[in-house]
Amino acid sequence: MSYDPPPSHHYRPPDPPPPYDPYTYDTYPWAPHEAPEPAGRRPQRHAALGHHSDLRVLRSAYRWQRRVATLTALGYFTLFLILSAFAPSFMTSTVTDGLPTGLLLALIQVPVTWLAIALYEQTARRRVDPIADRIRKLSELDTKREGAR
């Protein structure tokens, strides 16, 4: 009976394979993989710009702005079309001597469009532009910090 001494190094089992992801695969398995980031790098103090919650806030503010302006202009035009189709007697009635209601409502479409444009600009100045300016300033700061490294 022989006795083998334990090896001077400890056996480390191989790392388990990564979980299977059906949406990613190695196109060229023999090609070298990207090296992981060095361990000595400092962690970032703040989230990167692409993961910032301000971008979500900006998208929702911009979406709200588009909806308000679009619904203002198209809502009035849709109302005009519905009245033309389903209330012809109302549209042909006269407001003043010789001015039918339909023509008056059609002429009001131009100021309503101007109102939609004014609402769009106002909501841009009040809600969207300050958020975009804040994100722009943060991205400039991130660029300066990255350049200093």
Side-chain angles (χ1 to χ4, degrees), residues 69-148:
T70 303
L71 290 177
T72 301
L74 289 180
Y76 182 81
F77 184 69
T78 304
L79 175 69
F80 176 76
L81 289 179
I82 290 172
L83 287 175
S84 297
F86 296 108
S89 61
F90 173 72
M91 297 296 274
T92 56
S93 65
T94 57
V95 178
T96 62
D97 192 30
L99 181 64
T101 308
L103 181 60
L104 179 66
L105 292 177
L107 292 174
I108 292 176
Q109 180 67 40
V110 173
V112 168
T113 305
W114 291 340
L115 175 70
I117 293 169
L119 278 172
Y120 190 85
E121 289 178 354
Q122 181 187 12
T123 55
R125 271 187 250 111
R126 271 191 18 221
R127 291 198 171 97
V128 179
D129 288 347
I131 300 169
D133 290 339
R134 185 172 55 224
I135 291 173
R136 189 175 301 113
K137 287 176 185 174
L138 286 174
S139 68
E140 289 172 359
L141 286 175
D142 285 344
T143 304
K144 287 179 184 177
R145 287 181 187 142
E146 290 294 322

Side-chain angles (χ1 to χ4, degrees), residues 16-26:
Y20 175 71
D21 186 5
Y23 300 107
T24 61
Y25 57 90
D26 290 334

